[in-house]
Amino acid sequence: MSLIRAYTRNASNVTKLLSISSFYSRQACPVITNTSARNIKLLHTSNAKSLKERLAEIIPERQEEIKYVKKEHGAKSLGNVTVDMAYGGMRGIKGLIWEGSVLDPDEGIKFRGYTIAECQKLLPKAEGGEEPLPEGLFWLLVTGEIPTTEQVRGLSAEWAARSDVPSFVEELIDRCPNTLHPMSQFSLAVTALQHDSNFVKAYQSGINKNEYWISTFEDTMDLIAKLPNIAGRIYRNVFKDGKVPALESDKDYSYNLAKVLGYENNKDFVELLRLYLTIHSDHEGGNVSAHTAHLVASTLSDPYLAFAAALDGLAGPLHGLANQEVISWILKMQSEIGVSANDETVREYVWNTLNSGRVVPGYGHAVLRKTDPRYTAQREFALKHLPNDPLFKLVSQLYNIVPQVLTEHGKTKNPWPNVDAHSGALLQYYGLDEQNYYTVLFGVSRALGVLSQVIWDRALGFPIERPKSYSTAAIRKMFEQ
Ligand SMILES: CC(C)(COP(=O)(O)OP(=O)(O)OC[C@H]1O[C@@H](n2cnc3c(N)ncnc32)[C@H](O)[C@@H]1OP(=O)(O)O)[C@@H](O)C(=O)NCCC(=O)NCCS
């Protein structure tokens, strides 16, 4: 472990090293797994500890690590900030700490060092299933460790047990007009759940800041657990008869989400949700939903308020709502040029979109410079489960055409598809054709990533966020006088 190697170079840390290594040697049957040469993890194969118990063990070690990193590297520079960056949405400024995932421009997202393909291979599956369970991904994001099947089953059961939604929140959702966008209803309901925040109660009772993470963890677990019921109620109210079926306490999270949507008997759809919830969870710290949750939580707002704010950001068409935009753009294209238009006609349609001053939804990315691996994972799912679906074929046709057009157009830094270019076509195939609802599913998944970081924000005592800003007049004064 690099931390231990670094510690050995510093004599004053020998005692800490000994305590860390004896900590590891105390663990029940630790096994060293190696998914890549530089990335060694400890995998606990027995003695299934709950996530909270495991977290309580890890936090002191991570706190020491942060102290060490700040002491050794605190004064070093992460890079330059230019005026263009300040005007350009802070693109490329390295100014955030995010523990769960790092986004590489070429390789895509890695969750605690693991690629999507590695997660698909290593994370526990449902019985008879092939896709990873998002419960396992959450465990990985929180702890940095691949959980055992037993630990993941425990998490499924715990979430099912915490899933009840207070009746006043149900009524609040029921009172929303069907014309209110599902994302607005989602944000409203999550804000209202704040009524029962453990963190708020603990804070008001005057707990020590070292204990903030405990009630934050409880809120996070409660909130994630309630999302299928919230999301299901919104879906049933807006698109169906308003009746939400009860969750099953012995089933996994994705099965239960499929159930509230009415798809629990379609095992391929349940598998799709397992994949979907895993890959949409986290995309490092700078994207709008992640950064918003982190920013709002930095004021010691509780996880409900922080996540509701994240949902408001996700609801924008350049972020999560792009999954809705993509499918409506594709369906409009189909209605205008037919279902099996040739490449030339499709190319012309893409050019028309660009020439009318609009973006091609589902393409481009602020960080990525290759096809998004989340797109690829969905494409592989489609090749396996729906290779002959006409909509999938059109999505594939666009994959061959749009990057060429965007490159020729010459503005977009990344002409390749992102996650949103594919997800709608898969949902449509299984019959979930209510496009306005798609971003809600993205939001359920995003909770796993942003809330696991909020736990760490509290555990590591991160301060209130407060970057420096300048006015244009101040910039001119700085460089012109
Ligand atoms: C994701 C996105 C917001 C990233 O924005 P960004 O970091 O500013 O992207 P770039 O640096 O490549 O933008 C440079 C220019 O290309 C344009 N551009 C980027 N992606 C484009 C697309 N898909 N279609 C048309 N133009 C695009 C930008 O609007 C910008 O134009 P401007 O100079 O007139 O303002 C952008 O690619 C986009 O709008 N994509 C479509 C929406 C989408 O799929 N969102 C989901 C993202 S996961």
Side-chain angles (χ1 to χ4, degrees):
M1 295 190 44
S2 57
L3 172 63
I4 291 178
R5 273 203 302 277
Y7 268 35
T8 57
R9 285 201 295 271
N10 183 340
S12 70
N13 280 322
V14 168
T15 325
K16 282 176 198 158
L17 167 63
L18 288 176
S19 76
I20 288 171
S21 51
S22 68
F23 161 69
Y24 283 126
S25 65
R26 282 199 308 276
Q27 299 305 299
C29 310
V31 176
I32 292 183
T33 60
N34 193 353
T35 57
S36 67
R38 74 200 178 297
N39 197 4
I40 298 173
K41 308 276 174 190
L42 287 172
L43 172 63
H44 299 269
T45 54
S46 64
N47 189 12
K49 292 194 164 120
S50 75
L51 181 57
K52 190 174 180 183
E53 287 167 336
R54 186 67 196 116
L55 194 52
E57 292 174 332
I58 297 169
I59 284 173
E61 183 199 335
R62 291 277 88 86
Q63 288 170 333
E64 284 306 308
E65 184 184 17
I66 304 299
K67 270 192 215 152
Y68 163 80
V69 171
K70 281 164 71 175
K71 182 164 169 283
E72 291 294 311
H73 308 295
K76 293 174 187 165
S77 170
L78 288 173
N80 230 350
V81 179
T82 64
V83 173
D84 272 346
M85 284 166 150
Y87 279 105
M90 297 192 284
R91 208 70 91 259
I93 295 179
K94 301 172 187 81
L96 283 170
I97 300 297
W98 194 264
E99 303 292 357
S101 64
V102 176
L103 180 57
D104 182 275
D106 295 320
E107 292 181 67
I109 193 67
K110 287 191 182 165
F111 303 113
R112 293 280 188 174
Y114 293 93
T115 63
I116 287 176
E118 286 168 338
C119 287
Q120 283 176 297
K121 195 165 153 223
L122 295 169
L123 290 176
K125 321 278 184 300
E127 224 170 284
E130 292 183 359
E131 298 298 343
L133 290 168
E135 289 90 326
L137 197 268
F138 181 68
W139 187 293
L140 174 65
L141 290 174
V142 172
T143 65
E145 298 169 352
I146 301 283
T148 63
T149 301
E150 198 183 352
Q151 286 168 325
V152 162
R153 299 277 183 272
L155 210 45
S156 301
E158 193 169 349
W159 284 350
R162 291 174 182 246
S163 64
D164 281 351
V165 173
S167 53
F168 87 93
V169 178
E170 292 182 343
E171 284 160 25
L172 195 67
I173 299 171
D174 293 348
R175 280 169 178 258
C176 289
N178 286 355
T179 45
L180 183 62
H181 193 280
M183 281 301 282
S184 305
Q185 299 194 30
F186 195 11
S187 168
L188 195 71
V190 169
T191 301
L193 285 175
Q194 191 252 359
H195 182 267
D196 295 333
S197 167
N198 293 287
F199 178 80
V200 170
K201 283 188 205 100
Y203 188 82
Q204 283 171 354
S205 76
I207 49 151
N208 188 301
K209 55 160 72 168
N210 293 330
E211 290 170 22
Y212 285 170
W213 77 266
I214 298 171
S215 48
T216 301
F217 177 84
E218 294 298 335
D219 279 355
T220 292
M221 293 288 279
D222 282 342
L223 174 50
I224 292 173
K226 293 175 195 325
L227 295 180
N229 270 330
I230 298 272
R233 192 162 205 96
I234 294 167
Y235 180 76
R236 296 276 176 166
N237 280 354
V238 176
F239 306 107
K240 306 285 174 192
D241 61 2
K243 296 195 180 82
V244 190
L247 304 191
E248 294 180 40
S249 59
D250 59 343
K251 291 291 197 316
D252 66 273
Y253 192 72
S254 310
Y255 174 95
N256 275 324
L257 181 58
K259 182 165 186 190
V260 292
L261 301 175
Y263 289 86
E264 75 278 18
N265 294 324
N266 187 333
K267 69 176 182 29
D268 289 349
F269 182 84
V270 177
E271 278 285 275
L272 172 63
L273 273 192
R274 290 173 183 141
L275 176 67
Y276 187 107
L277 295 183
T278 297
I279 64 177
H280 284 77
S281 59
D282 205 25
H283 221 221
E284 74 167 33
N287 69 77
V288 170
S289 51
H291 186 193
T292 302
H294 183 67
L295 169 69
V296 173
S298 84
T299 68
L300 297 187
S301 264
D302 58 76
Y304 298 98
L305 297 181
F307 180 57
L311 287 174
D312 293 340
L314 195 70
L318 297 187
H319 192 18
L321 200 84
N323 63 5
Q324 171 186 324
E325 295 283 308
V326 165
I327 209 69
S328 59
W329 180 76
I330 290 181
L331 294 179
K332 187 156 184 289
M333 174 167 74
Q334 271 191 332
S335 74
E336 285 181 25
I337 64 177
V339 279
S340 46
N342 62 28
D343 285 1
E344 218 25 69
T345 316
V346 171
R347 193 185 311 276
E348 207 177 303
Y349 190 87
V350 176
W351 270 114
N352 284 343
T353 299
L354 290 172
N355 290 337
S356 62
R358 288 173 293 153
V359 296
V360 178
Y363 282 77
H365 200 273
V367 178
L368 280 167
R369 292 297 174 257
K370 292 266 170 70
T371 297
D372 189 338
R374 299 172 300 175
Y375 176 94
T376 310
Q378 294 179 93
R379 179 172 165 76
E380 281 163 6
F381 187 95
L383 286 168
K384 188 164 147 197
H385 295 279
L386 45 135
N388 300 316
D389 175 56
L391 194 54
F392 168 55
K393 286 188 172 164
L394 181 51
V395 167
S396 300
Q397 191 180 14
L398 287 166
Y399 188 23
N400 290 328
I401 293 170
V402 175
Q404 290 171 9
V405 175
L406 286 175
T407 304
E408 225 176 291
H409 187 238
K411 270 170 97 180
T412 314
K413 293 195 187 68
N414 174 44
W416 301 104
N418 59 55
V419 66
D420 300 315
H422 214 305
S423 52
L426 297 176
L427 297 169
Q428 293 266 326
Y429 174 77
Y430 290 106
L432 195 100
D433 56 8
E434 297 89 357
Q435 304 154 31
N436 285 8
Y437 188 73
Y438 290 175
T439 314
V440 172
L441 294 178
F442 194 156
V444 172
S445 174
R446 195 38 67 99
L448 307 179
V450 305
L451 292 172
S452 57
Q453 180 61 41
V454 170
I455 296 170
W456 278 104
D457 290 348
R458 294 290 77 82
L460 298 172
F462 284 170
I464 187 167
E465 215 176 86
R466 186 33 169 116
K468 175 79 187 110
S469 65
Y470 288 107
S471 64
T472 297
I475 296 275
R476 295 195 66 173
K477 194 167 165 206
M478 205 180 310
F479 296 109
E480 292 175 7
Q481 285 174 9

